[in-house]
Amino acid sequence: MREDVEALDIRDVTANWVNAQVLERQIDERIKALADLSDTPLFFGRLDYLHAPGADRAEGAEGERFYIGRRHVHDADGDPMVIDWRAPVSQPFYRASKKDPMDVGLRRRFGYTGGELTAYEDEHLSDPAEAARTSRLLQREIEKPRVGPMRDIVATIQPEQDEIVRSGLGGTVCVQGGPGTGKTAVGLHRVAYLLYAHRERLARTGTLVIGPNKSFLHYIEQVLPALGELTVRQATVDDLVAHVEVRGADDAAAAVVKGDARMARVLRRAVYSHVTMPAEPVVVVRGSRRWRVPAYELEDIVRELLDRDIRYGAAREALPQRIAHAVLVQMERAGEAPDDRVQDAVARNGAVKAAVKANWPAVDPAKLVLRLLTDADFLAVHADGILSADEQKTILWAKPVRSVKSAKWSAADAVLIDEAADLVERTHSLGHVVLDEAQDLSPMQYRAVGRRCTTGSATVLGDLAQGTTPWATRSWEEALAHLGKTDAVVEELTAGFRVPTDVIAYASRLLPHIAPGLTPVASIRENPGHFEVRPVGGTPDVVAACEESLRREGSIGLIAADARVPALAAALTEAGIPYLDPGEETTARTRLTLVPASLAKGLEYDHVVLDEPRAVVDGEPDERTGLRRLYVALTRAVSGLIVTHTAPLPPQLG
């Protein structure tokens, strides 16, 4: 298939060089999408239908066989050999069961090692004599060691995951999922499915995956390309709102106030405070004639634009045209016959431009936010009745700043500027946005993401128990309201595929203290994994635990409180153990990653050594946030976890 595309001759099929360039780029993208993955098979399953799908199921009607894979594959004659996992005919591979065989006689799973076929396993779903059983190949694939970036899960998608993946483009879905339930993979595969089912529409409107940090995005960046999807942009919230350079940081109290949704009302007041009612008429001179628009008529125009509740900038652009229209009405009454060119000329008249500048001046979003944060009187006027006096003091900068460029903006400030920018000019909306690790966003950050999908839909992924910011999400209903998607469907994934039974049971002891009411994750893995809580004498014992884990197969993560990372890094270096930073790709030679607890979210390793749980908890501004950070760190292991400690363990762990 790739060679066929490479052999295309487009010299005589394009009308001009522009079309040729566009077609060449499309061909290049097609070739990239058809790239071979050495360790990834083209198919992983087979379905033998009792009857041909869509055909009359009359007695004697022949069945049909389909091979299911990551991509559609056809032969030299164009006949399908492998069916894309997203096609409707592939759906029973994920959802058929002994209770509901969906007209499937046989489901076959193929097992691969290094890209080579090494095993297969059959289920005769319509045979009443065969009992239902757990697939060993499925278990083996789920428990396969993790080296390198995140992989796709097309061979192991479970029925409850498949329902979310195949949900329609029109609605927003929020997925609450504990550690190891596959919510990130579900979100990414939903994007792949939507691009398959609605390719033309999403090609026009665009898709975006938002992650918590660069390390996380680097970890997941190969999933969609492996499925042949190369056009999905990936970004963090900070990337979306990068109107200014972020060089500063807020303390927790200031960040909470700046992230509060009430700030949107303060900003709206501040933006529209620039509008003033006209006190003087506008006199337009054209040739020997003078046309006068009285102040009361100008005021009516300004009030009408305010009442329409359109963007500040759009109203400002409309104002000169409205004034010009009022002049044209007078011209027509005087017997003239002005056209559109005359109206445009009047709108550009100096007197009209002066009136617009005086009554509806331009607003620079960054300068506006800077004034709010540095001018106590300006903030007091616009925050009156919205923020308390103490809250206003909390967000005011202690030192005056000369300009937007010299200001040390924080990440929360950038979100405020984005809100102000949207009040002035509408933010471009995409067709679909995936928001991962959403529980850590502030209300104002939710609004920033919501602006990017006002005319589209979203997939929101998160776990309330893993919220580790002072402004962490308290409920999905509240978060979805800030996102502007109150009609979203909330789904909960509770089956754990990644974290071993003993590990998730230990971590779940924290749930009553960090997220009462959440359903604990139930691991479905048959392998209980290796789990040990080990008192140690110091750093050398932690290094010894890492060496012990390195004798096992797969990737190793040493997770520690941020403050302890430098000491552990020095100890690993002294011991001659090479290590990586989060986001760097593991290799056969270097399989150990040293992970600050603040960056552990969303990452996974076959074996984890968790250093000093008490230090992880104490590294956060309050105990609940610290316990949530510890919950995240405890649940990064796929096969084994060693908890090392010299200080007493947090009492919540029992």
Side-chain angles (χ1 to χ4, degrees):
M1 287 170 67
R2 190 172 61 251
E3 287 169 357
D4 286 346
V5 179
E6 290 171 338
L8 288 173
D9 185 353
I10 63 170
R11 284 174 297 182
D12 299 324
V13 299
T14 54
N16 53 54
W17 72 270
V18 175
N19 289 349
Q21 291 288 318
V22 171
L23 191 54
E24 278 182 23
R25 190 182 70 210
Q26 290 174 340
I27 289 173
D28 287 344
E29 288 177 354
R30 176 67 174 159
I31 292 169
K32 287 178 186 174
L34 289 170
D36 280 323
L37 300 175
S38 59
D39 59 346
T40 302
L42 285 173
F43 64 93
F44 50 80
R46 189 183 105 187
L47 289 176
D48 290 5
Y49 278 86
L50 297 176
H51 309 88
D56 183 12
R57 297 188 181 183
E59 196 170 330
E62 289 189 12
E64 198 165 353
R65 173 178 297 170
F66 299 96
Y67 285 87
I68 312 300
R70 287 164 175 77
R71 308 292 309 282
H72 167 84
V73 183
H74 59 248
D75 62 17
D77 298 322
D79 294 326
M81 298 175 68
V82 178
I83 304 299
D84 194 300
W85 66 277
R86 297 166 287 189
V89 77
S90 303
Q91 189 170 337
F93 184 78
Y94 302 107
R95 297 202 194 176
S97 64
K98 294 293 290 185
K99 289 183 179 178
D100 181 14
M102 300 176 72
D103 199 44
V104 172
L106 178 141
R107 173 169 58 199
R108 173 170 289 177
R109 299 181 191 274
F110 295 97
Y112 289 84
T113 303
E116 299 217 346
L117 178 63
T118 53
Y120 68 87
E121 186 179 71
D122 289 345
E123 297 171 87
H124 297 88
L125 298 176
S126 298
D127 182 356
E130 184 176 291
R133 66 183 190 279
T134 303
S135 166
R136 291 186 177 275
L137 281 180
L138 187 64
Q139 284 287 338
R140 194 185 307 165
E141 178 65 25
I142 289 171
E143 296 173 8
K144 186 186 291 184
R146 272 115 170 111
V147 176
M150 183 179 181
R151 304 189 301 258
D152 65 73
I153 60 162
V154 290
T156 62
I157 294 173
Q158 297 300 291
E160 64 271 24
Q161 295 175 323
D162 190 62
E163 281 189 42
I164 298 170
V165 167
R166 295 177 192 265
S167 55
L169 177 61
T172 289
V173 178
C174 175
V175 182
Q176 159 63 41
T181 54
K183 56 185 177 296
T184 296
V186 165
L188 294 174
H189 287 67
R190 185 174 183 223
V191 172
Y193 173 77
L194 293 175
L195 285 166
Y196 174 86
H198 307 278
R199 190 166 301 280
E200 288 188 11
R201 178 175 168 185
L202 289 176
R204 292 193 307 271
T205 56
T207 49
L208 172 67
V209 174
I210 302 173
N213 52 56
K214 297 290 186 185
S215 297
F216 179 84
L217 292 178
H218 183 69
Y219 177 62
I220 68 170
E221 67 185 359
Q222 295 303 318
V223 174
L224 289 168
L227 301 175
E229 302 300 346
L230 306 174
T231 60
V232 180
R233 181 185 162 210
Q234 296 184 355
T236 64
V237 173
D238 291 345
D239 294 333
L240 298 183
V241 300
H243 303 282
V244 291
E245 183 183 358
V246 173
R247 297 185 295 139
D250 291 309
D251 60 35
V256 168
V257 177
K258 289 179 181 179
D260 195 296
R262 292 174 295 161
M263 286 301 299
R265 292 164 56 200
V266 175
L267 288 164
R268 186 173 187 82
R269 279 187 185 179
V271 167
Y272 283 92
S273 70
H274 291 78
V275 178
T276 57
M277 291 302 152
E280 301 289 334
V282 170
V283 179
V284 176
V285 179
R286 283 185 59 80
S288 61
R289 301 293 302 269
R290 293 162 61 89
W291 306 98
R292 182 177 180 276
V293 182
Y296 71 85
E297 191 171 343
L298 293 173
E299 183 176 336
D300 288 344
I301 294 172
V302 170
R303 290 193 184 282
E304 192 252 334
L305 287 172
L306 285 172
D307 291 342
R308 286 187 59 193
D309 198 28
I310 58 177
R311 292 298 192 277
Y312 184 93
R316 187 174 187 275
E317 290 177 5
L319 181 56
Q321 290 291 336
R322 296 296 177 86
I323 296 173
H325 177 72
V327 172
L328 259 65
V329 169
Q330 294 185 30
M331 289 180 176
E332 288 169 350
R333 287 174 182 163
E336 296 189 18
D339 56 18
D340 290 345
R341 288 174 298 176
V342 174
Q343 179 165 330
D344 289 340
V346 172
R348 294 193 300 271
N349 181 273
V352 174
K353 290 165 84 173
V356 172
K357 185 177 181 180
N359 302 126
W360 207 296
V363 170
D364 181 293
K367 288 181 180 177
L368 176 83
V369 173
L370 184 64
R371 188 179 175 192
L372 276 172
L373 298 177
T374 56
D375 185 337
D377 292 336
F378 187 68
L379 176 62
V381 169
H382 301 298
D384 183 41
I386 300 175
L387 301 180
S388 69
D390 287 342
E391 287 173 324
Q392 293 175 39
K393 287 179 185 175
T394 300
I395 63 173
L396 276 169
W397 291 357
K399 296 180 181 178
V401 179
R402 285 182 297 176
S403 67
V404 167
K405 285 190 176 180
S406 64
K408 289 190 176 181
W409 298 104
S410 69
D413 297 332
V415 178
L416 296 180
I417 294 171
D418 190 70
E419 179 83 28
D422 183 70
L423 289 167
V424 175
E425 185 176 344
R426 184 182 297 277
T427 304
H428 174 67
S429 175
L430 299 165
H432 193 78
V433 170
V434 174
L435 176 60
D436 205 352
E437 300 295 348
Q439 73 280 344
D440 278 337
L441 268 59
S442 70
M444 290 299 286
Q445 287 176 315
Y446 276 116
R447 289 176 63 87
V449 174
R451 285 192 282 280
R452 271 77 187 175
C453 55
T454 49
T455 58
S457 55
T459 302
V460 181
L461 312 165
D463 179 12
L464 296 178
Q466 296 186 58
T468 50
T469 54
W471 49 84
T473 303
R474 287 173 292 190
S475 75
W476 290 122
E477 289 71 20
E478 183 181 324
L480 292 166
H482 294 311
L483 194 70
K485 304 292 181 184
T486 52
D487 57 346
V489 176
V490 180
E491 303 281 0
E492 188 170 10
L493 296 176
T494 57
F497 306 99
R498 175 172 57 76
V499 186
T501 303
D502 291 350
V503 174
I504 195 64
Y506 184 69
S508 293
R509 296 180 183 182
L510 297 174
L511 281 179
H513 308 281
I514 60 176
L518 273 191
T519 305
V521 172
S523 178
I524 66 166
R525 295 180 52 167
E526 294 181 349
N527 179 2
H530 171 75
F531 173 62
E532 183 182 354
V533 179
R534 182 183 297 178
V536 296
T539 303
D541 292 336
V542 178
V543 173
C546 292
E547 291 174 325
E548 180 184 325
S549 297
L550 282 166
R551 289 194 284 272
R552 303 175 186 270
E553 186 182 7
S555 58
I556 315 298
L558 170 56
I559 303 177
D562 292 30
R564 286 187 50 79
V565 167
L568 290 169
L572 290 171
T573 302
E574 186 178 343
I577 301 175
Y579 64 89
L580 303 166
D581 293 325
E584 294 183 333
E585 196 166 315
T586 53
T587 64
R589 181 180 173 277
T590 309
R591 295 184 290 123
L592 174 67
T593 303
L594 178 56
V595 188
S598 62
L599 295 180
K601 194 171 296 179
L603 306 179
E604 57 184 31
Y605 303 93
D606 287 292
H607 301 276
V608 167
V609 177
L610 174 58
D611 167 75
E612 214 59 77
R614 184 77 254 174
V616 173
V617 176
D618 292 344
E620 299 298 328
D622 61 82
E623 186 178 65
R624 190 182 76 153
T625 303
L627 290 172
R628 286 182 167 187
R629 185 75 73 190
L630 177 59
Y631 181 74
V632 171
L634 284 167
T635 53
R636 300 304 96 200
V638 175
S639 297
L641 170 67
I642 299 175
V643 178
T644 61
H645 68 100
T646 54
L649 292 170
Q652 292 85 352
L653 283 174

